């Protein structure tokens, strides 16, 4: 359900800047290369997306547990 809730909000969003994302998700973390990390389900899972602010596009890069997240370089995935 938390992923569906995120998708419902994100699919309607018009994020032009990181500040727009922060307004919707105050706990979002921003990393290099326009990647944004969202904590889902009470921080049990991490969702990493690439946001193309200039085109209004969001690309899901990975959804996983904290253990899985710790094994990747979220800035390049």
């Amino acid at each position: 359900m938390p992923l569906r809730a995120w998708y419902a909000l994100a699919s309607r969003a018009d994020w032009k800047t990181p500040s727009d994302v922060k307004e919707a998700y105050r706990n979002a973390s921003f990393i290099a290369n326009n990647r944004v990390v969202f904590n889902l389900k009470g921080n049990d899972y991490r969702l990493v997306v690439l946001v193309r602010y200039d085109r209004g596009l969001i690309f899901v890069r990975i959804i996983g547990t904290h253990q899985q997240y710790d094994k990747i370089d979220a800035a390049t995935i």
Side-chain angles (χ1 to χ4, degrees):
M1 286 293 216
L3 184 57
R4 285 185 185 163
W6 176 89
Y7 177 79
L9 188 121
S11 64
R12 293 186 315 271
D14 185 26
W15 294 334
K16 300 290 186 199
T17 67
S19 295
D20 295 337
V21 176
K22 205 63 160 171
E23 280 183 36
Y25 289 97
R26 64 182 180 94
N27 293 325
S29 300
F30 301 91
I31 54 179
N33 300 321
N34 291 327
R35 295 331 195 254
V36 183
V37 181
F38 298 93
N39 293 312
L40 301 177
K41 194 179 176 234
N43 215 14
D44 288 343
Y45 295 93
R46 291 214 167 158
L47 166 65
V48 179
V49 301
L50 164 63
V51 180
R52 287 289 309 263
Y53 298 103
D54 59 334
R55 297 188 182 230
L57 299 172
I58 302 168
F59 299 94
V60 173
R61 305 308 298 157
I62 188 170
I63 302 168
T65 64
H66 279 273
Q67 277 185 324
Q68 292 167 322
Y69 175 83
D70 289 342
K71 293 179 182 177
I72 63 158
D73 179 359
T76 60
I77 194 165

